[in-house]
Amino acid sequence: MSKPLLQVIVASTRPNRVGAAVGSWIAEAARAQGGFDVEVVDLADVDLPLFNEPHHPMTGNYVHDHTKRWSAIVSRAQAFVVVTPEYNHSFPASLKNALDYLAREWRYKAVGLVSYGGVSAGLRSVAQLKPVLAALRLVPVTDGVSVPFVAQRLDESGTFRSDEVLDASARKMLEELVTVGTPLIALQEPAATSIPAPRA
């Protein structure tokens, strides 16, 4: 029997961002945890324009190919981890835009939050993000991961280096995603079929 699919969504689209390295780390932690099949969805690769659909997302009546592709990607998942920085006490516009494009595709799916930044570890972005997720009927789990002084955790190759505390936080969040997310699958709309996976 196949496992549910967890998508790790990397929110920042800036050149030289840290988010891709953090996303790779949490994806590997999720694979090691074993409760999900895992894929990384990088919003820089998805490359959505500023929301430009003529119809409300609730209708699912999408006109543009980029929206149809994004809908197909999100529909495939049963749970998410969002990896986000903090911009001016909030989360990136790229993430808000990606969330706003869709409606039914998000419903009744559990989501874990991994934030990063300086001394605040991106926690203010999480505080701003949770009401938006709830409005979309996503279900944020209580346990999350917050990474302070993230730039100090990159080695010379740009690889993210965690520690025992972060690894323990990741395991706890991922276990809660399994516990909370598994019963929600029965409420989710079936995923679209014959959808190509995003680039690794």
Side-chain angles (χ1 to χ4, degrees):
M1 187 174 180
S2 62
K3 299 175 185 178
L5 178 63
L6 175 74
Q7 288 179 343
V8 176
I9 298 177
V10 177
S12 176
T13 59
R14 295 173 61 230
N16 303 319
R17 68 234 154 95
V18 176
V22 180
S24 294
W25 164 69
I26 198 65
E28 286 305 310
R31 293 184 182 106
Q33 192 270 343
F36 298 96
D37 288 331
V38 180
E39 68 182 26
V40 176
V41 176
D42 191 333
L43 293 185
D45 291 335
V46 176
D47 195 25
L48 289 167
L50 193 63
F51 180 60
N52 62 352
E53 283 290 331
H55 307 294
H56 195 289
M58 290 285 287
T59 68
N61 183 14
Y62 305 132
V63 171
H64 300 296
D65 286 342
H66 56 257
T67 312
K68 294 174 184 177
R69 287 192 296 269
W70 180 227
S71 172
I73 290 169
V74 173
S75 293
R76 192 169 52 242
Q78 285 79 50
F80 305 98
V81 168
V82 173
V83 178
T84 184
E86 180 180 315
Y87 294 171
N88 301 312
H89 289 214
S90 189
F91 55 96
S94 53
L95 177 56
K96 183 62 163 65
N97 190 50
L99 290 168
D100 286 347
Y101 259 95
L102 308 177
R104 58 183 173 80
E105 296 88 344
W106 300 118
R107 289 178 187 164
Y108 309 122
K109 297 179 181 181
V111 56
L113 300 174
V114 176
S115 66
Y116 59 90
V119 66
S120 72
L123 287 171
R124 292 170 295 204
S125 67
V126 169
Q128 295 288 323
L129 179 56
K130 282 184 175 180
V132 176
L133 299 178
L136 291 165
R137 294 182 176 85
L138 283 156
V139 182
V141 298
T142 301
D143 292 309
V145 180
S146 52
V147 183
F149 302 109
V150 66
Q152 299 176 13
R153 294 189 171 275
L154 300 182
D155 66 15
E156 292 181 357
S157 68
T159 301
F160 179 80
R161 299 300 181 191
S162 65
D163 56 26
E164 291 183 3
V165 173
L166 291 176
D167 287 342
S169 295
R171 285 193 298 270
K172 190 173 182 182
M173 180 191 71
L174 292 163
E175 288 166 2
E176 190 179 10
L177 274 173
V178 173
T179 301
V180 173
T182 301
L184 291 172
I185 293 173
L187 302 176
Q188 297 168 12
E189 295 188 22
T193 57
S194 302
I195 302 163
R199 292 181 294 171

